[in-house]
mmCIF file of all heavy atoms in Angstrom:
data_model
loop_
_atom_site.group_PDB
_atom_site.id
_atom_site.type_symbol
_atom_site.label_atom_id
_atom_site.label_comp_id
_atom_site.label_asym_id
_atom_site.label_seq_id
_atom_site.Cartn_x
_atom_site.Cartn_y
_atom_site.Cartn_z
ATOM 1 N N PHE A 461 10.075 6.698 6.745
ATOM 2 C CA PHE A 461 11.277 6.735 5.916
ATOM 3 C C PHE A 461 12.557 6.733 6.752
ATOM 4 O O PHE A 461 12.586 7.240 7.878
ATOM 5 C CB PHE A 461 11.291 7.995 5.051
ATOM 6 C CG PHE A 461 10.272 8.002 3.952
ATOM 7 C CD1 PHE A 461 9.122 8.776 4.051
ATOM 8 C CD2 PHE A 461 10.463 7.240 2.804
ATOM 9 C CE1 PHE A 461 8.183 8.795 3.035
ATOM 10 C CE2 PHE A 461 9.535 7.248 1.777
ATOM 11 C CZ PHE A 461 8.386 8.023 1.892
ATOM 12 N N ALA A 462 13.583 6.178 6.152
ATOM 13 C CA ALA A 462 14.940 6.267 6.694
ATOM 14 C C ALA A 462 15.846 6.597 5.513
ATOM 15 O O ALA A 462 16.014 5.773 4.607
ATOM 16 C CB ALA A 462 15.358 4.957 7.342
ATOM 17 N N SER A 463 16.358 7.813 5.487
ATOM 18 C CA SER A 463 17.225 8.276 4.395
ATOM 19 C C SER A 463 16.597 8.078 3.021
ATOM 20 O O SER A 463 17.231 7.601 2.083
ATOM 21 C CB SER A 463 18.579 7.549 4.454
ATOM 22 O OG SER A 463 19.240 7.869 5.656
ATOM 23 N N GLY A 464 15.321 8.435 2.893
ATOM 24 C CA GLY A 464 14.654 8.444 1.600
ATOM 25 C C GLY A 464 13.955 7.166 1.198
ATOM 26 O O GLY A 464 13.259 7.141 0.176
ATOM 27 N N SER A 465 14.131 6.091 1.945
ATOM 28 C CA SER A 465 13.504 4.812 1.608
ATOM 29 C C SER A 465 12.645 4.322 2.767
ATOM 30 O O SER A 465 13.000 4.514 3.929
ATOM 31 C CB SER A 465 14.567 3.750 1.289
ATOM 32 O OG SER A 465 15.348 4.146 0.183
ATOM 33 N N GLY A 466 11.536 3.676 2.418
ATOM 34 C CA GLY A 466 10.722 3.124 3.488
ATOM 35 C C GLY A 466 9.396 2.568 3.023
ATOM 36 O O GLY A 466 8.904 2.922 1.948
ATOM 37 N N PRO A 467 8.808 1.685 3.834
ATOM 38 C CA PRO A 467 7.527 1.085 3.505
ATOM 39 C C PRO A 467 6.369 1.966 3.936
ATOM 40 O O PRO A 467 6.503 2.816 4.828
ATOM 41 C CB PRO A 467 7.552 -0.212 4.322
ATOM 42 C CG PRO A 467 8.323 0.178 5.552
ATOM 43 C CD PRO A 467 9.386 1.142 5.073
ATOM 44 N N GLY A 468 5.229 1.749 3.285
ATOM 45 C CA GLY A 468 4.061 2.527 3.651
ATOM 46 C C GLY A 468 2.773 1.798 3.339
ATOM 47 O O GLY A 468 2.761 0.752 2.689
ATOM 48 N N ILE A 469 1.694 2.363 3.834
ATOM 49 C CA ILE A 469 0.358 1.806 3.631
ATOM 50 C C ILE A 469 -0.563 2.896 3.124
ATOM 51 O O ILE A 469 -0.518 4.035 3.592
ATOM 52 C CB ILE A 469 -0.207 1.221 4.939
ATOM 53 C CG1 ILE A 469 0.698 0.106 5.471
ATOM 54 C CG2 ILE A 469 -1.620 0.686 4.726
ATOM 55 C CD1 ILE A 469 0.267 -0.424 6.822
ATOM 56 N N GLU A 470 -1.403 2.545 2.152
ATOM 57 C CA GLU A 470 -2.416 3.450 1.626
ATOM 58 C C GLU A 470 -3.781 2.934 2.084
ATOM 59 O O GLU A 470 -4.021 1.726 2.092
ATOM 60 C CB GLU A 470 -2.348 3.483 0.108
ATOM 61 C CG GLU A 470 -3.121 4.623 -0.525
ATOM 62 C CD GLU A 470 -2.764 4.819 -1.991
ATOM 63 O OE1 GLU A 470 -1.564 4.738 -2.315
ATOM 64 O OE2 GLU A 470 -3.682 5.054 -2.785
ATOM 65 N N TYR A 471 -4.678 3.873 2.477
ATOM 66 C CA TYR A 471 -5.956 3.490 3.065
ATOM 67 C C TYR A 471 -7.139 3.929 2.196
ATOM 68 O O TYR A 471 -7.038 4.863 1.410
ATOM 69 C CB TYR A 471 -6.106 4.101 4.457
ATOM 70 C CG TYR A 471 -5.064 3.621 5.442
ATOM 71 C CD1 TYR A 471 -3.844 4.282 5.573
ATOM 72 C CD2 TYR A 471 -5.291 2.503 6.235
ATOM 73 C CE1 TYR A 471 -2.875 3.833 6.466
ATOM 74 C CE2 TYR A 471 -4.335 2.060 7.144
ATOM 75 C CZ TYR A 471 -3.129 2.725 7.250
ATOM 76 O OH TYR A 471 -2.180 2.289 8.130
ATOM 77 N N LEU A 472 -8.284 3.241 2.412
ATOM 78 C CA LEU A 472 -9.517 3.589 1.705
ATOM 79 C C LEU A 472 -10.151 4.819 2.340
ATOM 80 O O LEU A 472 -10.252 4.917 3.554
ATOM 81 C CB LEU A 472 -10.505 2.422 1.762
ATOM 82 C CG LEU A 472 -10.065 1.135 1.051
ATOM 83 C CD1 LEU A 472 -10.995 -0.016 1.424
ATOM 84 C CD2 LEU A 472 -10.055 1.348 -0.449
ATOM 85 N N ASP A 473 -10.597 5.774 1.528
ATOM 86 C CA ASP A 473 -11.193 7.005 2.031
ATOM 87 C C ASP A 473 -12.459 6.737 2.838
ATOM 88 O O ASP A 473 -12.753 7.417 3.812
ATOM 89 C CB ASP A 473 -11.512 7.933 0.862
ATOM 90 C CG ASP A 473 -11.970 9.311 1.307
ATOM 91 O OD1 ASP A 473 -11.636 9.697 2.448
ATOM 92 O OD2 ASP A 473 -12.640 10.005 0.535
ATOM 93 N N SER A 474 -13.231 5.728 2.432
ATOM 94 C CA SER A 474 -14.523 5.471 3.061
ATOM 95 C C SER A 474 -14.411 5.070 4.519
ATOM 96 O O SER A 474 -15.356 5.225 5.289
ATOM 97 C CB SER A 474 -15.268 4.361 2.300
ATOM 98 O OG SER A 474 -14.498 3.164 2.305
ATOM 99 N N ASP A 475 -13.255 4.553 4.911
ATOM 100 C CA ASP A 475 -13.102 4.049 6.265
ATOM 101 C C ASP A 475 -12.009 4.770 7.040
ATOM 102 O O ASP A 475 -12.187 5.127 8.191
ATOM 103 C CB ASP A 475 -12.817 2.541 6.217
ATOM 104 C CG ASP A 475 -12.699 1.934 7.598
ATOM 105 O OD1 ASP A 475 -13.727 1.538 8.167
ATOM 106 O OD2 ASP A 475 -11.565 1.886 8.117
ATOM 107 N N GLY A 476 -10.876 4.990 6.393
ATOM 108 C CA GLY A 476 -9.780 5.658 7.082
ATOM 109 C C GLY A 476 -8.857 4.711 7.793
ATOM 110 O O GLY A 476 -7.853 5.132 8.366
ATOM 111 N N SER A 477 -9.200 3.401 7.811
ATOM 112 C CA SER A 477 -8.312 2.430 8.446
ATOM 113 C C SER A 477 -8.127 1.170 7.605
ATOM 114 O O SER A 477 -7.147 0.461 7.780
ATOM 115 C CB SER A 477 -8.856 2.046 9.829
ATOM 116 O OG SER A 477 -10.114 1.417 9.711
ATOM 117 N N LYS A 478 -9.053 0.879 6.705
ATOM 118 C CA LYS A 478 -8.914 -0.299 5.849
ATOM 119 C C LYS A 478 -7.793 -0.079 4.838
ATOM 120 O O LYS A 478 -7.726 0.945 4.173
ATOM 121 C CB LYS A 478 -10.217 -0.588 5.102
ATOM 122 C CG LYS A 478 -11.353 -1.059 5.993
ATOM 123 C CD LYS A 478 -12.604 -1.332 5.157
ATOM 124 C CE LYS A 478 -13.747 -1.810 6.022
ATOM 125 N NZ LYS A 478 -14.979 -2.035 5.221
ATOM 126 N N LYS A 479 -6.937 -1.089 4.718
ATOM 127 C CA LYS A 479 -5.807 -0.970 3.795
ATOM 128 C C LYS A 479 -6.264 -1.077 2.344
ATOM 129 O O LYS A 479 -7.106 -1.891 2.002
ATOM 130 C CB LYS A 479 -4.775 -2.048 4.095
ATOM 131 C CG LYS A 479 -4.044 -1.860 5.399
ATOM 132 C CD LYS A 479 -2.923 -2.863 5.562
ATOM 133 C CE LYS A 479 -3.436 -4.265 5.737
ATOM 134 N NZ LYS A 479 -2.341 -5.217 6.050
ATOM 135 N N SER A 480 -5.688 -0.242 1.502
ATOM 136 C CA SER A 480 -5.911 -0.299 0.066
ATOM 137 C C SER A 480 -4.685 -0.872 -0.653
ATOM 138 O O SER A 480 -4.811 -1.720 -1.530
ATOM 139 C CB SER A 480 -6.213 1.096 -0.479
ATOM 140 O OG SER A 480 -6.254 1.108 -1.882
ATOM 141 N N LYS A 481 -3.489 -0.398 -0.233
ATOM 142 C CA LYS A 481 -2.241 -0.842 -0.861
ATOM 143 C C LYS A 481 -1.114 -0.818 0.167
ATOM 144 O O LYS A 481 -1.138 -0.025 1.113
ATOM 145 C CB LYS A 481 -1.863 0.074 -2.030
ATOM 146 C CG LYS A 481 -2.898 0.181 -3.123
ATOM 147 C CD LYS A 481 -2.526 1.269 -4.129
ATOM 148 C CE LYS A 481 -3.621 1.458 -5.169
ATOM 149 N NZ LYS A 481 -3.304 2.588 -6.086
ATOM 150 N N GLU A 482 -0.118 -1.655 -0.060
ATOM 151 C CA GLU A 482 1.127 -1.631 0.698
ATOM 152 C C GLU A 482 2.280 -1.664 -0.298
ATOM 153 O O GLU A 482 2.291 -2.498 -1.209
ATOM 154 C CB GLU A 482 1.231 -2.831 1.639
ATOM 155 C CG GLU A 482 0.291 -2.771 2.825
ATOM 156 C CD GLU A 482 0.529 -3.919 3.799
ATOM 157 O OE1 GLU A 482 -0.063 -4.979 3.596
ATOM 158 O OE2 GLU A 482 1.313 -3.725 4.753
ATOM 159 N N TYR A 483 3.250 -0.755 -0.134
ATOM 160 C CA TYR A 483 4.374 -0.701 -1.057
ATOM 161 C C TYR A 483 5.492 0.127 -0.438
ATOM 162 O O TYR A 483 5.314 0.749 0.609
ATOM 163 C CB TYR A 483 3.962 -0.113 -2.405
ATOM 164 C CG TYR A 483 3.219 1.208 -2.321
ATOM 165 C CD1 TYR A 483 3.905 2.421 -2.348
ATOM 166 C CD2 TYR A 483 1.829 1.246 -2.229
ATOM 167 C CE1 TYR A 483 3.237 3.625 -2.284
ATOM 168 C CE2 TYR A 483 1.145 2.443 -2.162
ATOM 169 C CZ TYR A 483 1.847 3.636 -2.191
ATOM 170 O OH TYR A 483 1.173 4.840 -2.123
ATOM 171 N N SER A 484 6.627 0.134 -1.092
ATOM 172 C CA SER A 484 7.781 0.894 -0.609
ATOM 173 C C SER A 484 8.183 1.952 -1.628
ATOM 174 O O SER A 484 7.986 1.775 -2.831
ATOM 175 C CB SER A 484 8.972 -0.035 -0.357
ATOM 176 O OG SER A 484 8.713 -0.919 0.705
ATOM 177 N N LEU A 485 8.736 3.040 -1.128
ATOM 178 C CA LEU A 485 9.236 4.117 -1.971
ATOM 179 C C LEU A 485 10.716 4.335 -1.713
ATOM 180 O O LEU A 485 11.182 4.211 -0.575
ATOM 181 C CB LEU A 485 8.490 5.427 -1.682
ATOM 182 C CG LEU A 485 6.997 5.486 -2.002
ATOM 183 C CD1 LEU A 485 6.414 6.808 -1.535
ATOM 184 C CD2 LEU A 485 6.741 5.287 -3.486
ATOM 185 N N THR A 486 11.434 4.655 -2.782
ATOM 186 C CA THR A 486 12.829 5.069 -2.674
ATOM 187 C C THR A 486 12.963 6.385 -3.414
ATOM 188 O O THR A 486 12.758 6.441 -4.627
ATOM 189 C CB THR A 486 13.775 4.023 -3.289
ATOM 190 O OG1 THR A 486 13.659 2.791 -2.564
ATOM 191 C CG2 THR A 486 15.221 4.505 -3.208
ATOM 192 N N ASP A 487 13.221 7.436 -2.678
ATOM 193 C CA ASP A 487 13.289 8.782 -3.255
ATOM 194 C C ASP A 487 12.026 9.103 -4.054
ATOM 195 O O ASP A 487 12.080 9.661 -5.155
ATOM 196 C CB ASP A 487 14.524 8.929 -4.131
ATOM 197 C CG ASP A 487 15.810 8.875 -3.316
ATOM 198 O OD1 ASP A 487 15.766 9.218 -2.123
ATOM 199 O OD2 ASP A 487 16.857 8.478 -3.866
ATOM 200 N N GLY A 488 10.869 8.734 -3.494
ATOM 201 C CA GLY A 488 9.584 9.057 -4.102
ATOM 202 C C GLY A 488 9.149 8.144 -5.226
ATOM 203 O O GLY A 488 8.104 8.376 -5.839
ATOM 204 N N VAL A 489 9.914 7.097 -5.498
ATOM 205 C CA VAL A 489 9.612 6.195 -6.611
ATOM 206 C C VAL A 489 9.275 4.803 -6.077
ATOM 207 O O VAL A 489 9.927 4.302 -5.160
ATOM 208 C CB VAL A 489 10.813 6.106 -7.582
ATOM 209 C CG1 VAL A 489 10.540 5.103 -8.691
ATOM 210 C CG2 VAL A 489 11.109 7.484 -8.173
ATOM 211 N N LEU A 490 8.232 4.177 -6.667
ATOM 212 C CA LEU A 490 7.875 2.812 -6.287
ATOM 213 C C LEU A 490 9.065 1.889 -6.496
ATOM 214 O O LEU A 490 9.653 1.846 -7.570
ATOM 215 C CB LEU A 490 6.700 2.324 -7.128
ATOM 216 C CG LEU A 490 5.312 2.871 -6.759
ATOM 217 C CD1 LEU A 490 4.330 2.630 -7.892
ATOM 218 C CD2 LEU A 490 4.815 2.214 -5.478
ATOM 219 N N ASP A 491 9.400 1.113 -5.456
ATOM 220 C CA ASP A 491 10.565 0.253 -5.542
ATOM 221 C C ASP A 491 10.437 -0.854 -4.499
ATOM 222 O O ASP A 491 10.537 -0.599 -3.304
ATOM 223 C CB ASP A 491 11.832 1.070 -5.307
ATOM 224 C CG ASP A 491 13.086 0.364 -5.802
ATOM 225 O OD1 ASP A 491 13.053 -0.185 -6.913
ATOM 226 O OD2 ASP A 491 14.086 0.370 -5.065
ATOM 227 N N GLY A 492 10.189 -2.076 -4.955
ATOM 228 C CA GLY A 492 10.051 -3.187 -4.030
ATOM 229 C C GLY A 492 8.708 -3.877 -4.150
ATOM 230 O O GLY A 492 7.931 -3.616 -5.075
ATOM 231 N N PRO A 493 8.390 -4.789 -3.211
ATOM 232 C CA PRO A 493 7.125 -5.528 -3.250
ATOM 233 C C PRO A 493 5.917 -4.596 -3.200
ATOM 234 O O PRO A 493 5.938 -3.564 -2.511
ATOM 235 C CB PRO A 493 7.196 -6.403 -1.987
ATOM 236 C CG PRO A 493 8.646 -6.531 -1.698
ATOM 237 C CD PRO A 493 9.263 -5.228 -2.103
ATOM 238 N N TYR A 494 4.871 -4.982 -3.933
ATOM 239 C CA TYR A 494 3.654 -4.189 -4.019
ATOM 240 C C TYR A 494 2.452 -5.110 -3.802
ATOM 241 O O TYR A 494 2.356 -6.170 -4.419
ATOM 242 C CB TYR A 494 3.567 -3.536 -5.396
ATOM 243 C CG TYR A 494 2.301 -2.728 -5.655
ATOM 244 C CD1 TYR A 494 2.290 -1.354 -5.457
ATOM 245 C CD2 TYR A 494 1.144 -3.349 -6.105
ATOM 246 C CE1 TYR A 494 1.147 -0.613 -5.712
ATOM 247 C CE2 TYR A 494 -0.003 -2.615 -6.361
ATOM 248 C CZ TYR A 494 0.001 -1.248 -6.166
ATOM 249 O OH TYR A 494 -1.126 -0.516 -6.412
ATOM 250 N N THR A 495 1.543 -4.715 -2.917
ATOM 251 C CA THR A 495 0.323 -5.480 -2.647
ATOM 252 C C THR A 495 -0.877 -4.551 -2.702
ATOM 253 O O THR A 495 -0.869 -3.484 -2.085
ATOM 254 C CB THR A 495 0.365 -6.159 -1.264
ATOM 255 O OG1 THR A 495 1.484 -7.049 -1.211
ATOM 256 C CG2 THR A 495 -0.912 -6.947 -0.998
ATOM 257 N N GLU A 496 -1.899 -4.958 -3.432
ATOM 258 C CA GLU A 496 -3.141 -4.198 -3.506
ATOM 259 C C GLU A 496 -4.282 -5.062 -2.978
ATOM 260 O O GLU A 496 -4.346 -6.268 -3.243
ATOM 261 C CB GLU A 496 -3.429 -3.787 -4.941
ATOM 262 C CG GLU A 496 -4.615 -2.839 -5.096
ATOM 263 C CD GLU A 496 -4.736 -2.269 -6.494
ATOM 264 O OE1 GLU A 496 -3.720 -2.257 -7.226
ATOM 265 O OE2 GLU A 496 -5.842 -1.848 -6.854
ATOM 266 N N TYR A 497 -5.179 -4.434 -2.195
ATOM 267 C CA TYR A 497 -6.277 -5.162 -1.561
ATOM 268 C C TYR A 497 -7.618 -4.827 -2.201
ATOM 269 O O TYR A 497 -7.795 -3.761 -2.803
ATOM 270 C CB TYR A 497 -6.332 -4.823 -0.064
ATOM 271 C CG TYR A 497 -5.088 -5.239 0.689
ATOM 272 C CD1 TYR A 497 -4.013 -4.363 0.827
ATOM 273 C CD2 TYR A 497 -4.977 -6.511 1.241
ATOM 274 C CE1 TYR A 497 -2.857 -4.750 1.500
ATOM 275 C CE2 TYR A 497 -3.831 -6.900 1.930
ATOM 276 C CZ TYR A 497 -2.778 -6.014 2.052
ATOM 277 O OH TYR A 497 -1.641 -6.394 2.711
ATOM 278 N N GLN A 498 -8.574 -5.740 -2.035
ATOM 279 C CA GLN A 498 -9.926 -5.499 -2.491
ATOM 280 C C GLN A 498 -10.628 -4.553 -1.521
ATOM 281 O O GLN A 498 -10.075 -4.158 -0.499
ATOM 282 C CB GLN A 498 -10.664 -6.827 -2.642
ATOM 283 C CG GLN A 498 -9.991 -7.741 -3.664
ATOM 284 C CD GLN A 498 -10.731 -9.041 -3.877
ATOM 285 O OE1 GLN A 498 -11.960 -9.091 -3.829
ATOM 286 N NE2 GLN A 498 -9.988 -10.121 -4.125
ATOM 287 N N SER A 499 -11.857 -4.173 -1.843
ATOM 288 C CA SER A 499 -12.555 -3.139 -1.069
ATOM 289 C C SER A 499 -12.781 -3.513 0.396
ATOM 290 O O SER A 499 -13.037 -2.643 1.224
ATOM 291 C CB SER A 499 -13.898 -2.811 -1.723
ATOM 292 O OG SER A 499 -14.709 -3.964 -1.828
ATOM 293 N N SER A 500 -12.656 -4.790 0.724
ATOM 294 C CA SER A 500 -12.810 -5.213 2.119
ATOM 295 C C SER A 500 -11.652 -4.739 2.976
ATOM 296 O O SER A 500 -11.765 -4.642 4.198
ATOM 297 C CB SER A 500 -12.892 -6.740 2.189
ATOM 298 O OG SER A 500 -11.667 -7.327 1.770
ATOM 299 N N GLY A 501 -10.517 -4.449 2.328
ATOM 300 C CA GLY A 501 -9.343 -4.000 3.061
ATOM 301 C C GLY A 501 -8.464 -5.127 3.547
ATOM 302 O O GLY A 501 -7.413 -4.894 4.141
ATOM 303 N N SER A 502 -8.867 -6.387 3.302
ATOM 304 C CA SER A 502 -8.062 -7.524 3.744
ATOM 305 C C SER A 502 -7.819 -8.539 2.631
ATOM 306 O O SER A 502 -6.757 -9.145 2.562
ATOM 307 C CB SER A 502 -8.725 -8.217 4.936
ATOM 308 O OG SER A 502 -10.028 -8.656 4.596
ATOM 309 N N ALA A 503 -8.818 -8.740 1.752
ATOM 310 C CA ALA A 503 -8.669 -9.704 0.666
ATOM 311 C C ALA A 503 -7.717 -9.173 -0.397
ATOM 312 O O ALA A 503 -7.783 -8.005 -0.786
ATOM 313 C CB ALA A 503 -10.026 -10.015 0.036
ATOM 314 N N LEU A 504 -6.816 -10.031 -0.868
ATOM 315 C CA LEU A 504 -5.835 -9.628 -1.870
ATOM 316 C C LEU A 504 -6.483 -9.353 -3.222
ATOM 317 O O LEU A 504 -7.417 -10.050 -3.627
ATOM 318 C CB LEU A 504 -4.784 -10.720 -2.036
ATOM 319 C CG LEU A 504 -3.852 -10.967 -0.841
ATOM 320 C CD1 LEU A 504 -3.004 -12.202 -1.109
ATOM 321 C CD2 LEU A 504 -2.976 -9.757 -0.579
ATOM 322 N N ALA A 505 -5.952 -8.353 -3.940
ATOM 323 C CA ALA A 505 -6.390 -8.041 -5.301
ATOM 324 C C ALA A 505 -5.276 -8.337 -6.300
ATOM 325 O O ALA A 505 -5.513 -8.948 -7.335
ATOM 326 C CB ALA A 505 -6.825 -6.595 -5.412
ATOM 327 N N GLN A 506 -4.049 -7.891 -5.986
ATOM 328 C CA GLN A 506 -2.908 -8.212 -6.834
ATOM 329 C C GLN A 506 -1.610 -8.016 -6.069
ATOM 330 O O GLN A 506 -1.538 -7.242 -5.118
ATOM 331 C CB GLN A 506 -2.900 -7.401 -8.127
ATOM 332 C CG GLN A 506 -2.707 -5.910 -7.962
ATOM 333 C CD GLN A 506 -2.531 -5.197 -9.291
ATOM 334 O OE1 GLN A 506 -2.045 -5.775 -10.273
ATOM 335 N NE2 GLN A 506 -2.920 -3.939 -9.347
ATOM 336 N N GLN A 507 -0.565 -8.722 -6.509
ATOM 337 C CA GLN A 507 0.749 -8.619 -5.902
ATOM 338 C C GLN A 507 1.818 -8.677 -6.988
ATOM 339 O O GLN A 507 1.642 -9.343 -8.013
ATOM 340 C CB GLN A 507 0.992 -9.758 -4.913
ATOM 341 C CG GLN A 507 0.219 -9.639 -3.611
ATOM 342 C CD GLN A 507 0.552 -10.770 -2.650
ATOM 343 O OE1 GLN A 507 0.475 -11.937 -3.014
ATOM 344 N NE2 GLN A 507 0.924 -10.418 -1.434
#
């Protein structure tokens, strides 16, 4: 974060490194591009 806003990555519990989602928060609220991945951690699920 920088002054309440910033990008982040959410990971799958089963692995601890495979990406589940990528999105940005502004003051704790979803705001900006959103990407969700399939269970492989690389294939796209929705954007």
Side-chain angles (χ1 to χ4, degrees):
F461 290 105
S463 297
S465 299
I469 300 175
E470 194 166 318
Y471 298 89
L472 296 168
D473 187 23
S474 60
D475 182 87
S477 63
K478 291 180 180 178
K479 291 187 292 187
S480 172
K481 302 171 185 176
E482 289 186 273
Y483 51 90
S484 294
L485 295 175
T486 297
D487 293 334
V489 176
L490 284 164
D491 198 44
Y494 177 96
T495 300
E496 187 170 338
Y497 298 90
Q498 299 182 35
S499 58
S500 65
S502 58
L504 293 172
Q506 66 173 332
Q507 287 182 307

